[in-house]
Amino acid sequence: MQFIKNSLMRKTLFKWHSFSAVIALIPLMVIAVTGSILVYKVELDTWLMPEQMQVAVEGRQSRIDLNELIASIETKYPEFLMGSWELFYASEDASLSRADTAYLISKENGNWYKIYIDQYSGQLLSQPVPVEHDFTDWLLSVHYTFLLDFTGTILGSIFAIILLFLAISGIVLYRGFWKRFFTLRLGAAKRIFYSDVHKLIGIVSSPILLILAITGGYYNIAAVVHEVEEHVEPHPKLSKALYSPNIDFQKLLNETSNDLKGYRATYFTFPFEPDLHITFFGEVPTANPLTSEYASMLIYDRESGALMSTYDIRSASNLNVVIDTFRKLHFGYFGGVITKFIWCVLGLTPLWLALTGFYFYWFRNRRRLGL
C-alpha cells in the first residue's frame, strides 16, 4: 500500500515537474543564455568599449576632486540631474583602472542615463546614453525583465520560483542518482540516452541552479515589493536638485572612512526622491569572502551634510549577512576566474535541461496520440 502511495506521489510530482518545465521553457532558456553571458559583463564591456571602460592611472597621483567631476557634468549637460555615482579605484601596481560611471536623470522625462568619466583627468569619456543603451545593459534588462519593465519583473519572479521548484523536484525524483552517477548508456535508444543526459546535467547543476533561483528570485521579488510599497504613485519628475548647493561631496567621501572604520565607498546616490538623502554604499574588511562591495552604508543629510546613520555589515543580523551574499553568489565572481567559469557553464544547464526535457514531453505525447 505504501509503495502504491509513493508511486502515485512520484507520478504526480513528475507530471508537475514536466508541466512546469513546458510552461517556463522559453523564458528559462532566455534567462540561462543571458545570465551565462552576463557573468562576463565587465570583461565584455571592456572589450567592446575600451575607451569608455578603462582609464590610465600611471603617473597620476590621485582622483580628481569629486565636486569638480560633478560640476563638469552639470555644466555640460544642464538638462540632467545627478542620480548616482559608481566609484572605481586602481590597485597599487595597476596602470589601468575602470572609469567612474555617473547616472543622470532627465529633467524632461525622468528617465535615467549614464555617462563614463575619467576620474583621474576629469575628461568625459562619453555622452549621456540610456541605461540600457550598451549591449550588456540591454542584455541585463532582458535577463531580469524580458524588456517588459515592471510586468517583466513580476514574470521574472514567477519563473525564478518555477526554476526553484524544478531544481527541488528534480532532486527528489532522482534522489537515487548516486547509484548510476555519471552513467550514460551510449548504445541505448535515443530516448534512454537523452534521459541519462537530462539526469546527469540536472544532478551536476542542481546546487548552482538552486543558488541562481533563490538569489535571482529574491532580487526580482524585492523589486516588485519595493515598487508596490514605495511607488504607488508615479515616480516624481524633478526639475532641480533636492540637495543643498553647499554640499561638499568630496568632503563626505573623505569622511566615510572616518565615520566607519576600514570603509571604502564604491557607490553613492544623490537624493532623487523627496524622502531620500545622500547615501554611500561600500565595502569593509571582513573574513567572509561573499561579502559584497556594497554591503555597508552611510547616510548624510542632504541639507547640512551631517551624518544621519551608519549600517555596518560586520554587526548586521545573520539574515542580512546572508542576503548580502546573494550578489556575489548570483554572478559567481567571489572566487575569481574559476567560479565565474563554473557559473557561466552551469548557468547554461537550464537550456540543455529544457531541450532534453522537451524531447521527453514530445516523445510521450507522440506515443499517446499514436504518431
Side-chain angles (χ1 to χ4, degrees):
M1 190 71 181
Q2 185 64 35
F3 171 78
I4 295 175
K5 183 178 179 181
N6 290 339
S7 178
L8 289 173
M9 290 179 63
R10 182 181 175 84
K11 287 182 179 179
T12 301
L13 182 61
F14 182 80
K15 287 181 180 179
W16 278 104
H17 181 87
S18 302
F19 182 66
S20 300
V22 171
I23 290 176
L25 178 67
I26 301 301
L28 289 182
M29 290 172 68
V30 171
I31 291 172
V33 173
T34 55
S36 289
I37 296 173
L38 287 168
V39 167
Y40 292 101
K41 183 181 189 307
V42 174
E43 291 82 355
L44 281 171
D45 283 341
T46 303
W47 177 58
L48 294 170
M49 308 178 298
E51 295 84 4
Q52 287 79 41
M53 286 290 293
Q54 291 185 321
V55 294
V57 297
E58 195 170 0
R60 297 174 175 180
Q61 297 300 315
S62 60
R63 295 170 51 96
I64 297 290
D65 185 283
L66 190 54
N67 298 301
E68 293 183 25
L69 297 177
I70 295 171
S72 66
I73 295 176
E74 292 178 327
T75 300
K76 188 167 184 179
Y77 300 104
E79 66 273 25
F80 291 97
L81 294 172
M82 304 304 303
S84 62
W85 196 288
E86 203 167 3
L87 300 153
F88 292 101
Y89 309 87
S91 57
E92 292 184 3
D93 300 327
S95 59
L96 294 172
S97 170
R98 274 192 65 179
D100 276 13
T101 308
Y103 295 87
L104 315 176
I105 306 172
S106 170
K107 293 180 181 178
E108 179 182 357
N109 53 32
N111 292 337
W112 283 68
Y113 292 72
K114 71 175 183 177
I115 186 171
Y116 298 97
I117 185 168
D118 186 336
Q119 63 270 40
Y120 293 94
S121 70
Q123 179 186 0
L124 300 182
L125 303 175
S126 69
Q127 295 180 343
V129 295
V131 291
E132 297 173 359
H133 175 270
D134 298 335
F135 171 69
T136 59
D137 291 313
W138 175 82
L139 212 59
L140 189 64
S141 183
V142 173
H143 182 73
Y144 278 114
T145 71
F146 306 103
L147 302 179
L148 297 174
D149 297 323
F150 183 62
T151 301
T153 306
I154 296 174
L155 291 174
S157 304
I158 294 171
F159 293 127
I161 294 172
I162 291 176
L163 178 60
L164 181 61
F165 169 74
L166 289 171
I168 294 174
S169 59
I171 292 172
V172 173
L173 287 169
Y174 307 117
R175 58 187 179 275
F177 72 90
W178 53 270
K179 297 177 183 177
R180 297 186 300 274
F181 192 59
F182 287 121
T183 298
L184 291 177
R185 289 168 282 186
L186 299 176
K190 187 183 296 185
R191 176 179 60 84
I192 296 175
F193 173 72
Y194 283 163
S195 176
D196 289 346
V197 171
H198 186 84
K199 293 174 185 177
L200 177 60
I201 293 175
I203 290 163
V204 172
S205 64
S206 58
I208 305 300
L209 293 183
L210 284 171
I211 291 173
L212 295 177
I214 292 170
T215 55
Y218 169 80
Y219 285 128
N220 276 70
I221 293 171
V224 171
V225 172
H226 176 76
E227 284 296 316
V228 172
E229 290 184 347
E230 302 293 333
H231 298 128
V232 177
E233 300 295 331
H235 291 258
K237 191 161 59 175
L238 303 177
S239 59
K240 64 178 182 178
L242 296 178
Y243 53 89
S244 169
N246 298 320
I247 290 291
D248 187 333
F249 286 96
Q250 183 61 49
K251 181 181 178 183
L252 294 184
L253 178 60
N254 295 339
E255 288 178 351
T256 57
S257 57
N258 297 324
D259 293 331
L260 193 58
K261 186 177 180 181
Y263 182 85
R264 184 171 77 162
T266 57
Y267 180 78
F268 71 94
T269 61
F270 300 81
F272 51 82
E273 292 185 3
D275 59 341
L276 296 182
H277 290 269
I278 301 165
T279 305
F280 283 85
F281 299 85
E283 55 193 1
V284 291
T286 71
N288 183 359
L290 296 177
T291 300
S292 80
E293 59 273 38
Y294 309 102
S296 297
M297 180 173 62
L298 298 97
I299 301 178
Y300 295 90
D301 186 91
R302 66 191 189 190
E303 294 296 333
S304 66
L307 179 65
M308 297 178 64
S309 65
T310 63
Y311 173 80
D312 190 340
I313 193 65
R314 293 169 293 192
S315 58
S317 67
N318 291 333
L319 177 60
N320 286 340
V321 170
V322 170
I323 290 175
D324 176 69
T325 66
F326 285 4
R327 178 177 294 275
K328 286 188 175 180
L329 284 173
H330 191 73
F331 291 102
Y333 63 95
F334 56 90
V337 294
I338 295 176
T339 54
K340 291 184 77 168
F341 178 76
I342 293 172
W343 255 240
C344 177
V345 173
L346 294 187
L348 276 174
T349 54
L351 173 63
W352 312 121
L353 290 171
L355 293 174
T356 53
F358 183 74
Y359 175 80
F360 301 147
Y361 183 82
W362 171 79
F363 183 84
R364 287 195 303 273
N365 280 274
R366 187 186 65 168
R367 291 178 58 186
R368 187 180 300 118
L369 296 173
L371 299 176

